[in-house]
Amino acid sequence: MRTVLNHTCLLPVHLNARSPYSQPFPSLSELSSALGGLGGVSELEAETLRPVNLLQERNILPPKRAPPPEPNLSNDLRKVNCSPDTFRCTLTNIPQTQALLNKARLPLGLLLHPFRDLTQLPVITSNTIVRCRSCRTYINPFVSFLDQRRWKCNLCYRVNDVPDEFMYNPVTRSYGEPHKRPEVQNSTVEFIASSDYMLRPPQPAVYLFLLDVSHNAVESGYLNVFCQSLLDNLEKLPGDTRTHIGFVTFDSTVHFYNLQEGLSQPQMLVVSDIDDVFIPTHDSLLVNLKESKELVKDLLNALPGMFTHTRETQSALGPALQAAYKLMSPTGGRVTVFQTQLPTLGAGLLQSREDPNLRSSTKNVLHLGPATDFYKKLALDCSGQQIGVDLFLLSSQYSDLASLACVSKYSAGSVFYYPSFHHIHNTAQKQKFQKDLQRYLTRKIGFEAVMRIRCTKGLSIHTFHGNFFVRSTDLLSLANVNPDSGFAVQMSIEESLADTSLACFQAALLYTSSKGKRRIRVHTLCLPVVSQLSEVFAGADIQAISCLLANMAIDRSISSSLSDARDALVNAVVDCLTAYRANGSNIQPSGLIAPAALRLFPLYVLALLKQKALRTGTSTRLDERVFSMCELKSQPLQQIMRMVHPDLYRIDNMTEQAALHLNDSVIPQPPLLQLTAEKLTREGAFLLDCGSVMYLWVGKCCNETFIRDVLGFQNYASLPSNMTEIPELQTTYSERTRAFISWLLESRTFLPAFHVVKDDASTKTSFFQHLVEDRTESAFSYYEFLLHIQQQMSK
Amino acid sequence: MEAAVFISSLVDCCALIFLSVYLIITLSDLECDYINARACCSKLNKWVIPEMIAQALATVLMLVSMHWFVFLLNLPVASWNVYRYVKVPMGNMGVYDPTEIHNRGQLKSHMKEAMIKLGFHLLCFFIYLYSMILALIND
């Protein structure tokens, strides 16, 4: 062996290509001894393929959330490759053939977050946008320049000419170096689109707010919160001088508001014929925000008071949506619907379908799909007119979210749900609503958007997940695009990729910015192609795989049944680990062996099975279940992973050891703990970060210094049961804790609700539900799940 | 009487063949991006019930005139049509749903179904033609 190490130059192994081993899976010792001297790439692969016996290794969680796996590319390609936060593939080593993919038993798909808020975005202002003549791919860093005047497309391999204008590089002011231009140096670019990319002049920002003002709605008090929030953020609504705004309220009739500039006060127009809603006047219902600002403010100040004594209990949501559609059809824009109960009147009325006795049913959960196609049809009509509908559901009783959510799903809107919302009795929800509204009203928005995802010849996309409408084979129609939605697609390998060593994917999003400029945001991802099964396993991205499996499970639970979906998830783990074992040369008969890259797979799948969306046996309200499904299908990957497998830290004894020093503050870095009650102790305080909610669990015997210095109370007994924020005290403990929490929340867009949980409070159950490794009455503990998998594997 | 039965089945079968061809053309237009999903699905959904009725008519005609073999040949297709229609989930816009047609390879499976039906109808056409000629000769 020593001679082999000293003569590494004689080994016929290339640094960037796949290893030419003929045996399917070399054992670890052979790998490391043969490739040990050749550098980081092979060591990385050897590390990801290290066999882990899941039944014996108790500490499989890394101390910090693992970064996404790096694809095995050369350094210059790696530097320009698309950021994994934007574009991520389940397998960073693409298998060469569909047969190889099937052997690995892992899903192949992409997870995208194309409109993410970016701090650095190169904007290209040139007149010609260089695209491939046959497949219309935008030029990207992974094309090859044959000589200075011709380039070869990396998706369809067609040779194209470089236009004259492209030869000049405006950044370096040099001529003759097309490969130095910013389009070819960055994988995420934004082009300014010319008039060829517009079907009509770019639309202005148009916002319509549809408000439920039935008795229920007024009781819950959301109207006050909304009006205040909008008044505070009226200046910050994305748009320019052409921005239009309008309001429609509804209970058993539909009310419009004439906000024409020049009127002394807003004028309310009531349409009571809800079977055939018509628009009472043609202008002045959607008014220019700048010109009618005073009237809008008057209306917002008056609205909460206008309906305080209402006795209307019915809700005509369907007719109100139809009215909104008619109002917005000429321009397109965004409709925000606030609903607090089941729609009971007019078109699209819904029945209460939930049976409260079946909430903990272990058998099939019914009514996960919509009850009527009214909302779906309306969403498609809206999508055709570039109207996106966002839904805020603030109800305390069953409101058939499964049907209502369709109106947002297919018109590229977002769904927000605040169960049991009440402005007095549920201050936590009220605060969350306020924070969410703040982000929702001020975030960037794109109108009349379409997105196309192109792949290298040989790969094709067969299923799409997310809130949009698939208009044709790979064209996604998004009426509105926002920076907080994620999408996923599944791919299959139609032809063998044997003659190429790189597979590329390009997502191009054409949209109108809120200032009326037509832009194209292009992201390009490049990944190596491999021919060995071991390399496929080595490049598996377990977080992306879990998210894609979650999407697939939800589709399956709606089209077939929930138990089918749960079985399919367990089978995914069983099949994958069986495939790994079948290809390994070192078969350990006992124990459950997984490669290091996939060691968290059973844990993530178990966490998925315990999500509100997919769990059985624990009482789950149908609306909350459906909302959890909507979230899993439309959130970006980071948010989903935090929801599925939250981060648990012990924060009462954080030290400065290994702390980060940023901007004069010291940010402690406590290690991640496994999600089991074994790791909790009554003497400590623990923080659970679930993405949209954070819990600070304080043990009964927690040391009083912590309670005093961080929470501001004398002892455990004096802690209130509904504390929702940490006070700003001047102690080091408090500064350290707050620095840590703000560091966690740094790049989050929606701030989480915060709960301080005492060991005996009612919120304790929601905290303990997130400890996925523990056993519950209806679900396995982690160890039992591993044994179950092992048992299934031996069948 | 026999001849009349077979003539009407023949005409019915011709209609079904034309309908199958129309379905295949519309589906392949969708595949090649000549029309969008909404337009395609509304066109196709319009013909689901007529197809069901035409197929049921052919089956019943064969049953009534006691041609058991041909009846048994037509029965699976007729019952598949009815099953497909009944099994549409409540929230879907018909058998062909524009939001689902591009997912999970539904486009390909609809295309395959239409091709199989076309082949079947062609087979039936020749059976009816032959039987009709036989019946006309024997009259």
Side-chain angles (χ1 to χ4, degrees):
Chain A
M1 285 301 149
R2 235 167 242 295
T3 44
V4 174
L5 282 174
N6 287 337
H7 291 93
T8 52
C9 54
L10 295 179
L11 283 175
V13 181
H14 306 283
L15 194 57
N16 296 332
R18 32 208 193 285
S19 54
Y21 284 109
S22 50
Q23 56 194 120
F25 174 34
S27 72
L28 180 64
S29 48
E30 287 168 42
L31 252 183
S32 50
S33 58
L35 299 178
L38 282 179
V41 168
S42 338
E43 275 166 20
L44 189 65
E45 200 174 290
E47 169 54 28
T48 47
L49 282 176
R50 174 177 61 90
V52 173
N53 187 347
L54 293 172
L55 286 173
Q56 285 175 357
E57 268 204 43
R58 291 296 295 136
N59 300 325
I60 49 169
L61 269 190
K64 273 184 190 268
R65 210 173 250 289
E70 289 258 354
N72 190 357
L73 295 169
S74 69
N75 271 333
D76 9 298
L77 283 183
R78 224 186 267 191
K79 261 191 297 201
V80 290
N81 211 355
C82 195
S83 156
D85 289 331
T86 311
F87 214 155
R88 208 149 147 172
C89 185
T90 51
L91 301 172
T92 47
N93 290 331
I94 310 277
Q96 222 172 50
T97 57
Q98 182 69 29
L100 183 58
L101 177 62
N102 290 341
K103 259 206 280 186
R105 309 305 296 254
L106 287 169
L108 177 64
L110 296 167
L111 285 101
L112 312 130
H113 193 181
F115 204 56
R116 185 167 77 96
D117 288 327
L118 291 166
T119 44
Q120 264 195 347
L121 180 62
V123 180
I124 314 290
T125 48
S126 69
N127 294 337
T128 45
I129 299 178
V130 182
R131 300 175 74 170
C132 174
R133 257 182 311 172
S134 56
C135 66
R136 311 299 290 145
T137 308
Y138 295 84
I139 195 164
N140 58 74
F142 310 105
V143 302
S144 30
F145 282 94
L146 297 178
D147 44 46
Q148 297 291 38
R149 307 296 309 214
R150 293 185 305 156
W151 63 279
K152 186 160 151 190
C153 173
N154 49 335
L155 265 58
C156 68
Y157 312 119
R158 164 87 179 245
V159 176
N160 297 286
D161 292 320
V162 178
D164 285 330
E165 210 203 57
F166 202 74
M167 297 298 293
Y168 174 69
N169 185 350
V171 175
T172 61
R173 311 251 171 90
S174 60
Y175 189 84
E177 288 182 326
H179 57 277
K180 293 252 168 64
R181 276 188 61 118
E183 296 98 315
V184 191
Q185 291 290 318
N186 297 291
S187 53
T188 294
V189 291
E190 186 150 285
F191 294 98
I192 296 189
S194 61
S195 48
D196 305 330
Y197 291 91
M198 309 181 202
L199 287 173
R200 58 176 189 182
Q203 64 163 92
V206 182
Y207 302 110
L208 181 66
F209 296 94
L210 225 62
L211 303 162
D212 181 2
V213 291
S214 59
H215 179 76
N216 202 12
V218 175
E219 265 295 296
S220 72
Y222 87 91
L223 213 47
N224 260 315
V225 181
F226 165 71
C227 291
Q228 193 53 48
S229 195
L230 187 53
L231 276 170
D232 294 338
N233 292 304
L234 213 49
E235 315 289 324
K236 298 187 225 146
L237 279 178
D240 55 5
T241 52
R242 300 181 301 156
T243 307
H244 280 57
I245 196 168
F247 298 89
V248 172
T249 56
F250 63 96
D251 41 32
S252 57
T253 53
V254 185
H255 327 126
F256 300 87
Y257 295 89
N258 184 343
L259 297 164
Q260 175 129 56
E261 178 198 7
L263 283 179
S264 56
Q265 59 175 17
Q267 199 185 44
M268 179 158 125
L269 305 156
V270 178
V271 173
S272 33
D273 181 10
I274 55 174
D275 296 316
D276 185 16
V277 193
F278 61 92
I279 310 296
T281 83
H282 274 280
D283 0 293
S284 56
L285 293 176
L286 277 176
V287 292
N288 188 310
L289 181 56
K290 257 200 174 35
E291 290 166 14
S292 304
K293 190 171 284 200
E294 288 312 311
L295 276 169
V296 170
K297 286 194 182 159
D298 286 342
L299 179 62
L300 286 172
N301 281 319
L303 255 179
M306 273 162 66
F307 296 97
T308 32
H309 301 296
T310 180
R311 298 285 175 113
E312 302 276 359
T313 51
Q314 310 260 45
S315 173
L317 176 63
L321 283 170
Q322 286 171 329
Y325 170 68
K326 287 190 184 152
L327 202 51
M328 305 271 285
S329 294
T331 49
R334 183 182 75 186
V335 175
T336 313
V337 180
F338 293 85
Q339 177 72 0
T340 55
Q341 60 176 73
L342 205 60
T344 47
L345 214 53
L349 74 89
L350 296 171
Q351 316 281 1
S352 178
R353 294 190 291 168
E354 184 192 20
D355 181 357
N357 300 328
L358 293 179
R359 277 191 196 146
S360 335
S361 149
T362 43
K363 288 176 301 182
N364 265 328
V365 177
L366 302 170
H367 307 308
L368 291 170
T372 159
D373 62 1
F374 173 79
Y375 294 97
K376 203 187 257 203
K377 275 208 188 106
L378 188 61
L380 291 182
D381 289 334
C382 288
S383 183
Q385 299 295 333
Q386 313 297 353
I387 304 168
V389 182
D390 293 326
L391 176 67
F392 281 80
L393 187 62
L394 305 128
S395 63
S396 41
Q397 307 219 309
Y398 179 67
S399 310
D400 204 349
L401 185 57
S403 310
L404 289 180
C406 290
V407 83
S408 295
K409 266 197 234 178
Y410 302 108
S411 62
S414 345
V415 179
F416 299 87
Y417 180 44
Y418 304 92
S420 320
F421 180 88
H422 197 279
H423 69 293
I424 298 177
H425 303 312
N426 201 338
T427 41
Q429 290 285 22
K430 177 177 164 199
Q431 284 177 350
K432 179 140 210 324
F433 182 48
Q434 265 170 330
K435 287 189 212 172
D436 288 351
L437 266 182
Q438 167 81 17
R439 163 73 182 166
Y440 174 76
L441 291 169
T442 54
R443 71 183 176 190
K444 197 166 148 140
I445 187 170
F447 297 101
E448 47 188 5
V450 288
M451 182 160 69
R452 204 169 224 142
I453 307 175
R454 297 180 172 91
C455 325
T456 304
K457 181 154 161 293
L459 289 162
S460 76
I461 300 181
H462 64 79
T463 307
F464 300 87
H465 302 282
N467 288 359
F468 43 64
F469 174 49
V470 187
R471 209 158 69 194
S472 60
T473 333
D474 52 359
L475 186 66
L476 311 175
S477 172
L478 296 117
N480 290 346
V481 61
N482 66 71
D484 299 319
S485 34
F487 309 102
V489 297
Q490 282 171 257
M491 296 186 292
S492 59
I493 306 173
E494 308 264 283
E495 300 163 12
S496 163
L497 299 170
D499 42 352
T500 152
S501 62
L502 294 174
C504 295
F505 308 94
Q506 189 175 78
L509 178 68
L510 170 64
Y511 67 100
T512 299
S513 75
S514 53
K515 306 229 180 314
K517 302 271 179 290
R518 198 84 168 132
R519 301 283 180 101
I520 310 172
R521 191 172 293 195
V522 179
H523 304 281
T524 317
L525 176 71
C526 177
L527 294 172
V529 174
V530 298
S531 57
Q532 298 291 329
L533 187 57
S534 56
E535 289 167 314
V536 175
F537 282 124
D541 180 349
I542 193 60
Q543 296 192 1
I545 291 174
S546 311
C547 284
L548 192 60
L549 282 176
N551 277 302
M552 288 158 71
I554 289 169
D555 267 1
R556 181 77 82 95
S557 58
I558 297 180
S559 64
S560 148
S561 77
L562 191 61
S563 35
D564 268 358
R566 289 173 60 94
D567 291 338
L569 273 178
V570 178
N571 288 338
V573 185
V574 172
D575 291 343
C576 174
L577 292 180
T578 315
Y580 173 74
R581 186 180 64 180
N583 282 284
S585 52
N586 50 348
I587 303 170
Q588 282 185 23
S590 70
L592 187 63
I593 313 289
L598 294 176
R599 71 189 188 282
L600 295 172
F601 198 10
L603 180 58
Y604 286 160
V605 167
L606 180 64
L608 269 178
L609 289 172
K610 293 189 176 178
Q611 282 297 292
K612 274 205 185 121
L614 297 166
R615 69 185 183 194
T616 51
T618 319
S619 171
T620 314
R621 311 184 100 172
L622 194 52
D623 274 350
E624 290 185 17
R625 186 187 286 274
V626 170
F627 179 61
S628 178
M629 289 185 169
C630 290
E631 291 227 285
L632 282 174
K633 284 208 88 168
S634 64
Q635 295 286 330
L637 185 138
Q638 320 279 35
Q639 196 68 351
I640 294 182
M641 282 321 295
R642 270 189 284 262
M643 202 164 85
V644 168
H645 193 265
D647 298 331
L648 181 66
Y649 307 96
R650 180 164 182 178
I651 59 168
D652 66 304
N653 60 356
M654 292 195 291
T655 61
E656 308 224 336
Q657 193 185 37
L660 284 183
H661 293 263
L662 292 176
N663 305 337
D664 318 322
S665 55
V666 178
I667 301 168
Q669 303 279 294
L672 280 176
L673 299 172
Q674 282 173 290
L675 292 173
T676 163
E678 281 174 19
K679 298 286 175 181
L680 300 178
T681 113
R682 288 203 287 183
E683 282 94 30
F686 295 83
L687 182 71
L688 187 69
D689 180 6
C690 309
S692 57
V693 64
M694 263 194 180
Y695 297 101
L696 176 57
W697 183 86
V698 184
K700 276 207 184 84
C701 313
C702 180
N703 60 354
E704 304 215 332
T705 352
F706 178 80
I707 300 183
R708 203 180 41 236
D709 286 350
V710 176
L711 300 175
F713 287 89
Q714 285 300 98
N715 52 22
Y716 179 81
S718 58
L719 273 178
S721 54
N722 58 354
M723 205 168 154
T724 52
E725 58 181 1
I726 295 191
E728 273 184 44
L729 302 171
Q730 295 303 324
T731 62
T732 29
Y733 243 49
S734 173
E735 277 171 16
R736 211 185 275 173
T737 314
R738 279 181 292 115
F740 177 60
I741 296 183
S742 352
W743 176 75
L744 282 180
L745 297 182
E746 212 171 2
S747 47
R748 303 268 176 103
T749 53
F750 283 104
L751 293 177
F754 193 86
H755 295 275
V756 176
V757 180
K758 287 172 75 167
D759 202 8
D760 41 11
S762 58
T763 30
K764 169 170 105 139
T765 30
S766 31
F767 175 80
F768 280 95
Q769 269 171 5
H770 290 286
L771 297 180
V772 296
E773 289 192 29
D774 289 337
R775 188 165 206 280
T776 63
E777 327 84 58
S778 49
F780 288 138
S781 74
Y782 177 55
Y783 194 74
E784 286 169 0
F785 187 60
L786 290 178
L787 292 176
H788 175 75
I789 295 177
Q790 194 184 33
Q791 191 192 37
Q792 298 283 65
M793 274 170 74
S794 56
K795 278 199 192 152
Chain B
M1 184 54 213
E2 283 280 301
V5 163
F6 279 119
I7 288 174
S8 38
S9 312
L10 195 65
V11 168
D12 195 45
C13 199
C14 269
L16 281 170
I17 289 179
F18 283 134
L19 188 61
S20 290
V21 171
Y22 176 69
L23 290 192
I24 290 178
I25 290 178
T26 313
L27 281 170
S28 69
D29 272 350
L30 180 62
E31 239 179 327
C32 302
D33 281 353
Y34 288 139
I35 52 175
N36 68 29
R38 197 105 194 262
C40 169
C41 287
S42 56
K43 275 197 217 179
L44 293 175
N45 279 327
K46 220 171 20 178
W47 293 104
V48 168
I49 298 215
E51 184 188 354
M52 217 162 64
I53 293 177
Q55 181 65 35
L57 187 67
T59 313
V60 163
L61 266 177
M62 288 300 113
L63 174 65
V64 159
S65 59
M66 297 193 283
H67 291 103
W68 306 119
F69 177 66
V70 192
F71 165 70
L72 283 175
L73 195 63
N74 273 315
L75 193 63
V77 180
S79 44
W80 161 254
N81 276 340
V82 175
Y83 174 76
R84 187 178 67 158
Y85 182 71
V86 161
K87 265 298 180 177
V88 171
M90 273 190 296
N92 273 13
M93 294 159 56
V95 173
Y96 299 93
D97 184 282
T99 56
E100 298 292 324
I101 198 157
H102 283 290
N103 266 350
R104 284 191 294 280
Q106 273 194 19
L107 187 53
K108 286 210 177 89
S109 67
H110 282 139
M111 185 68 114
K112 216 166 34 171
E113 184 193 323
M115 297 276 203
I116 291 175
K117 280 202 184 137
L118 181 65
F120 171 79
H121 290 316
L122 278 172
L123 174 70
C124 282
F125 178 80
F126 287 112
I127 292 179
Y128 296 145
L129 188 64
Y130 180 68
S131 312
M132 180 187 80
I133 292 175
L134 267 182
L136 283 173
I137 290 176
N138 288 341
D139 268 351

